Amino acid sequence: MSDARLIEEAVAQAAAGDPGAALMLYESGCAAPLPAHADALYDLGRLALALERPAEALDFLDRALDCNPELSPAHVDRARVLNRLGRKRDAIQAMCRAVAIDPEAHAALNRLRWLLDEGQLRTPSALSRLAQRGVPVASVLDVGASDGQWSLAAQAIWPDARYHLIEAFDHWRSALERVCAAHPGFSHAIAAAGDREGEIWFHNDPDAPYGGAAFHGQPDKGWKVPQVTLAAEAERLGLKPPFLIKLDTHGFEVPILEGAEALLPQASLVVIEVYVFHVHPQALLFHEICAWMAERGFRSIDLSEPLWRPRDKALWQFDLFFVRTDRPEFAINSY
């Protein structure tokens, strides 16, 4: 069956709330005589998984692995299906098999870690812990929203909140339009966030759409995009506190937070993707971000999504969750 780019796009659209392309490809693949080729069967399994048909997905992935037992990505997705079906032990075994075949399969290693720690390092678990402790959220400002999946995860925790998704890379425009059309209370802006309204330089590798960063000076490669401030966006849309501000902005955090200075006293939660290394000269390291936030009345209380870089397995980045320093949790210093 396989046009890899077409399959990737269909799976991404299904994840963003528009399963039409995935369904069309899946039905056309099922209507024809079933292939005996591992990659084609794997594609059908991925599409079935994207369409929330785990039992069918498992069947296709098992057939793909019968054809090619060394197809590591099929073991990864098989583990995802098994975990979704409540078969955690089998899921861990499948993920271990994927890593045994390809020890450099970092996605598999991360998923295996999540399975072993029961998902405690994943964003939905961290958000759920915060909600259980009574952190209130009325409006979410999701900066670096990409395809909107982070806000959809947060919506499962705070279903009555208002969500505004800000993304500088036009690649994600159609995905965000679909998400916002499917979810009342969602809106989006194709723009960078910063410390002033206007324009700013932006660069993103089209082959790595989850990256990208804004720059005050012109980068070697880049283009200008609109720039907004979070305070102005909140006022324009009539967003109400308490605010959740989430930044996935690859080292451009301080200018964005400076543009949200008026909102920070009304923020209950700030989630920042932080780095252990200088990803570019403007970026603060994670401990510097902690100090910057402490000056504004916030302390870190949780983390999620740690990532280790491939070359030396050094911790590269993770998401830090900041709440106000007057939270009751900080009144207790014992374990």
Side-chain angles (χ1 to χ4, degrees):
M1 156 176 207
S2 226
D3 180 331
R5 186 174 293 274
L6 196 63
I7 300 296
E8 290 290 345
E9 184 174 340
V11 170
Q13 288 179 9
D18 181 9
L23 183 61
M24 187 178 303
L25 282 171
Y26 181 70
E27 289 180 343
S28 66
C30 291
L34 287 180
H37 188 272
D39 289 340
L41 289 163
Y42 171 53
D43 286 342
L44 286 168
R46 292 180 63 208
L47 290 167
L49 180 57
L51 294 167
E52 301 295 335
R53 300 181 180 184
E56 295 172 38
L58 183 60
D59 181 59
F60 282 119
L61 293 168
D62 283 343
R63 294 187 190 197
L65 290 168
D66 285 342
C67 295
N68 180 7
E70 301 300 301
L71 188 60
S72 176
H75 287 286
V76 173
D77 282 322
R78 185 172 182 272
R80 293 174 60 202
V81 172
L82 290 166
N83 191 52
R84 197 166 296 184
L85 292 171
R87 296 168 56 184
K88 183 174 178 179
R89 183 182 296 274
D90 293 335
I92 291 172
Q93 290 176 345
M95 203 65 78
C96 287
R97 178 61 179 151
V99 174
I101 294 168
D102 181 8
E104 298 302 312
H106 299 290
L109 286 166
N110 282 336
R111 289 188 180 278
L112 178 58
R113 185 188 70 246
W114 293 334
L115 285 170
L116 291 172
D117 69 14
E118 297 184 339
Q120 291 187 66
L121 290 177
R122 300 194 66 181
T123 293
S125 294
L127 293 173
S128 179
R129 288 192 291 271
L130 287 155
Q132 289 169 15
R133 288 196 290 268
V135 174
V137 171
S139 299
V140 176
L141 289 154
D142 179 354
V143 186
S146 62
D147 60 0
Q149 291 304 300
W150 197 96
S151 280
L152 291 174
Q155 187 194 36
I157 308 297
W158 291 285
D160 298 325
R162 173 81 164 77
Y163 291 81
H164 187 51
L165 288 63
I166 300 173
E167 171 57 53
F169 193 21
D170 193 73
H171 169 90
W172 296 113
R173 181 188 297 270
S174 59
L176 289 175
E177 288 173 347
R178 287 190 296 270
V179 167
C180 292
H183 297 275
F186 274 56
S187 59
H188 78 282
I190 300 298
D195 56 357
R196 63 181 71 93
E197 302 280 302
E199 290 185 324
I200 195 167
W201 289 97
F202 182 81
H203 172 68
N204 204 116
D205 180 354
D207 293 327
Y210 288 98
F215 296 87
H216 280 307
Q218 182 176 357
D220 293 336
K221 297 179 180 179
W223 57 92
K224 282 192 172 180
V225 299
Q227 180 171 264
V228 299
T229 69
L230 296 188
E233 287 294 281
E235 183 178 1
R236 178 176 70 84
L237 295 165
L239 302 182
K240 304 299 183 185
F243 296 105
L244 188 171
I245 298 172
K246 168 261 184 180
L247 304 183
D248 181 356
T249 51
H250 308 122
F252 199 69
E253 293 76 32
V254 169
I256 297 171
L257 291 168
E258 289 174 342
E261 200 83 47
L263 304 182
L264 287 177
Q266 305 172 81
S268 59
L269 176 60
V270 181
V271 183
I272 305 177
E273 183 182 82
V274 296
Y275 291 86
V276 178
F277 295 87
H278 285 290
V279 292
H280 64 74
Q282 300 172 37
L284 297 185
L285 300 181
F286 78 94
H287 64 279
E288 296 168 325
I289 288 283
C290 290
W292 196 97
M293 292 294 289
E295 291 175 359
R296 287 150 183 85
F298 289 86
R299 285 178 59 176
S300 56
I301 197 169
D302 213 329
L303 63 84
S304 71
E305 312 297 340
L307 180 66
W308 291 264
R309 68 181 182 184
R311 71 176 65 198
D312 54 12
K313 307 302 186 290
L315 179 63
W316 176 253
Q317 69 183 53
F318 52 99
D319 291 350
L320 265 181
F321 293 71
F322 294 89
V323 294
R324 305 208 62 83
T325 56
D326 59 2
R327 287 285 309 174
E329 294 88 347
F330 299 128
I332 303 170
N333 288 308
S334 60
Y335 184 79

